[in-house]
Amino acid sequence: MTATLQEYRDLFASLPDRAERIQTLIELAKQYKPAERPKPFDERQRVPGCESEVFVWGSQQGGHWTFEFAVENPQGMSAMAMAAVLQSSLDGASADEIRAIPDDVIYEFFGRELSMGKSMGLMGMVQMCKRISQS
Amino acid sequence: MSHVLETQSAAISVQRLVSTAWVAEHLNDPQIILVESNEDPLLYPSGHIPGAHEVDWTRDLNDPLRRDYLDRERFQALMQKLGATDDSLIVFYGDRSNWWAAYALWVFELFGHTRSCLMDGGRLLWAKEGRPMTTKVPQATPSQYVAKPRNDEAIRIFREDVLRRVDAGAKFIDVRSPQEFSGEKLHMEGYPNEGALRGGHIPGAKSIPWATATDPETGTFRATEELQAIYKDFQPDEDVVVYCRIGERSSHTWFALKYLLGYQNVRNYDGSWTEYGNLVGAPIEQGS
């Protein structure tokens, strides 16, 4: 796991109040920068199970990965927040660091009050980054 | 579009589907309570229709322990908090073409509060039209609302009845994706515990994905004639059961059938595939 991701985990651990956590996530969603890639996107880059229609691309140089995200649902705010977290915290990460991300890290950010579909979609974003970095 | 199925009650007539323009005209109507219900927990706090309250399905509508909905006491407390009376018209709207709003409306109806409707197009259409949004959370004056006992009979169905209907060759509408219906896709890859142990559909079910009933551009329901064509294999006087994975997408279809097309006996099987696909010995069909 990267130091930046750990910082996010520490930040959210310090926010036991749901309203504060939500506000922090909204601010993160505003920082999301969509991938600038031609459409239509390659379906192989689509996060399976994500209703917000998220696409992920990864590239690596010298074993250091960077990721780009596109959230096609204009109201997919949680997906945008998650994309912002992953984009910044996995910038320059190694495959081992990415593999070490726990799948359920999303609950540390969003809490347990997520629908099944939303959980699957957000976890799918983490899984997709892992899958790309292991390929 | 002509969705004019109305019911009469003591105060005003209730049209079950209202437009964004209608809501904009009634923002200050004291008989109307706007409720936003979303899947995405970040949406309401980031901005909502002025005066709208949030009803969160995980925190407000579900039993915190058992797989079931809230009981009468909690529903009564929720309605009192919203400032609702028997005459209040609850206007639901939300994300995903109102799929979650329809789910919330369906739960409210379990308690007999039928003075409710959906705002067609949901929050996406409201936002697209450039209508006002606010982050201010309204504080209603608590009411003395007395809730009726929850009655699951009319619009909800449980697994024993579903299995009896399978034996009798009854009709079901499966509103999941075609891949889920065929059994090709159980759930998201890598998360076997989030889905069901078996893939496929209830024998006799027809695949009509929930979003078929909506215009993908606006999120609004399709016109009556189009909906009639979509559900032509099911007659308004027939018993129809709708289901999906947990009963949320099928609430949207339940609403369309019951309130836009006037089907009298449509029930939502909220156990849906996460229950049925895990039942020992239950008959399953696969393929499209």
Side-chain angles (χ1 to χ4, degrees), chain B residues 148-160:
Chain B
K148 299 180 185 75
R150 197 177 85 190
N151 176 12
D152 294 332
E153 294 290 318
I155 59 170
R156 192 180 186 195
I157 188 168
F158 295 95
R159 62 180 173 274
E160 293 82 5

Side-chain angles (χ1 to χ4, degrees), chain A residues 18 22-23 25-26 48-49 51-52 73-79 81 103 107 110 113-118 120 123-124 127 131, chain B residues 39-43 45-46 54 56-59 95-96 99-100 123-124 127 185 187-191 194-195 245-246 249 274:
Chain A
R18 182 176 185 271
I22 294 281
Q23 279 308 320
L25 287 164
I26 289 171
E51 298 278 354
S52 290
N73 176 358
Q75 298 206 317
M77 283 199 75
S78 292
D103 291 342
Y107 294 118
F110 292 88
E113 295 150 340
L114 284 174
S115 73
M116 190 166 133
K118 183 61 68 184
M120 287 167 67
M123 275 194 200
Q127 278 278 308
R131 209 170 296 155
Chain B
E39 182 185 33
D40 195 320
L42 304 190
L43 287 174
S46 71
E54 182 182 30
D56 180 279
W57 85 277
T58 50
R59 287 176 295 130
D95 61 354
R96 303 205 178 289
W99 127 22
W100 293 91
R123 63 169 285 143
L124 183 59
K185 179 180 162 189
H187 46 72
M188 191 186 142
E189 295 85 345
Y191 294 97
E194 296 283 9
R245 187 172 54 191
I246 58 170
R249 286 174 284 184
T274 50

Side-chain angles (χ1 to χ4, degrees), chain B:
Chain B
M1 193 178 298
S2 58
H3 297 304
V4 292
L5 194 73
E6 293 184 352
T7 57
Q8 297 291 326
S9 69
I12 55 173
S13 66
V14 180
Q15 187 167 324
R16 305 310 294 254
L17 190 66
V18 296
S19 67
T20 50
W22 186 92
V23 171
E25 289 165 15
H26 290 81
L27 283 181
N28 299 313
D29 187 331
Q31 271 199 316
I32 288 169
I33 296 176
L34 273 174
V35 167
E36 179 166 326
S37 198
N38 300 314
E39 182 185 33
D40 195 320
L42 304 190
L43 287 174
Y44 178 86
S46 71
H48 49 264
I49 298 178
H53 300 264
E54 182 182 30
V55 168
D56 180 279
W57 85 277
T58 50
R59 287 176 295 130
D60 296 322
L61 298 182
N62 276 268
D63 185 289
L65 183 60
R66 297 185 308 161
R67 181 176 174 182
D68 201 357
Y69 303 106
L70 73 177
D71 58 20
R72 178 191 181 186
E73 286 67 35
R74 284 188 59 214
F75 181 72
Q76 181 167 295
L78 175 62
M79 291 295 265
Q80 290 178 351
K81 187 178 150 198
L82 292 171
T85 67
D86 285 341
D87 288 336
S88 296
L89 174 63
I90 315 283
V91 180
F92 292 92
Y93 74 97
D95 61 354
R96 303 205 178 289
S97 305
N98 280 328
W99 127 22
W100 293 91
Y103 197 16
L105 183 150
W106 179 79
V107 172
F108 274 50
E109 195 148 325
L110 294 176
F111 294 95
H113 195 94
T114 54
R115 292 185 57 74
S116 59
C117 60
L118 290 179
M119 182 183 81
D120 206 11
R123 63 169 285 143
L124 183 59
L125 184 59
W126 182 274
K128 272 185 177 175
E129 291 173 342
R131 299 188 186 275
M133 305 280 270
T134 181
T135 55
K136 188 179 175 189
V137 176
Q139 295 296 322
T141 303
S143 69
Q144 298 297 311
Y145 187 89
V146 178
K148 299 180 185 75
R150 197 177 85 190
N151 176 12
D152 294 332
E153 294 290 318
I155 59 170
R156 192 180 186 195
I157 188 168
F158 295 95
R159 62 180 173 274
E160 293 82 5
D161 205 2
V162 166
L163 287 167
R164 274 194 292 274
R165 284 164 188 256
V166 170
D167 287 342
K171 288 187 170 180
F172 296 87
I173 299 178
D174 185 320
V175 313
R176 297 174 298 160
S177 67
Q179 294 79 14
E180 290 171 288
F181 178 83
S182 68
E184 172 192 338
K185 179 180 162 189
L186 263 179
H187 46 72
M188 191 186 142
E189 295 85 345
Y191 294 97
N193 293 330
E194 296 283 9
L197 289 173
R198 293 290 184 269
H201 55 265
I202 295 175
K206 183 175 174 58
S207 172
I208 308 179
W210 73 277
T212 313
T214 62
D215 178 331
E217 289 302 311
T218 61
T220 54
F221 281 101
R222 293 188 183 279
T224 305
E225 300 72 27
E226 293 176 278
L227 292 176
Q228 286 168 337
I230 290 167
Y231 300 108
K232 65 181 186 309
D233 293 338
F234 301 87
Q235 300 309 310
D237 57 351
E238 280 184 316
D239 278 356
V240 180
V241 173
V242 294
Y243 72 94
C244 55
R245 187 172 54 191
I246 58 170
E248 85 288 41
R249 286 174 284 184
S250 46
S251 296
H252 189 272
T253 302
W254 167 84
F255 180 88
L257 289 171
K258 187 171 178 69
Y259 289 123
L260 305 185
L261 294 180
Y263 283 55
Q264 296 301 306
N265 300 305
V266 52
R267 292 175 177 81
N268 187 18
Y269 172 38
D270 58 283
S272 278
W273 198 255
T274 50
E275 177 175 77
Y276 195 92
N278 286 312
L279 284 178
V280 175
I284 289 174
E285 280 182 357
Q286 288 192 326
S288 54

Side-chain angles (χ1 to χ4, degrees), chain A residues 32-57:
Chain A
Y32 152 73
K33 292 187 182 65
E36 292 177 5
R37 287 176 177 263
K39 293 184 182 179
F41 298 143
D42 186 336
E43 282 298 313
R44 289 172 298 181
Q45 307 306 130
R46 182 190 286 274
V47 175
C50 186
E51 298 278 354
S52 290
E53 298 189 65
V54 177
F55 294 77
V56 183
W57 295 266

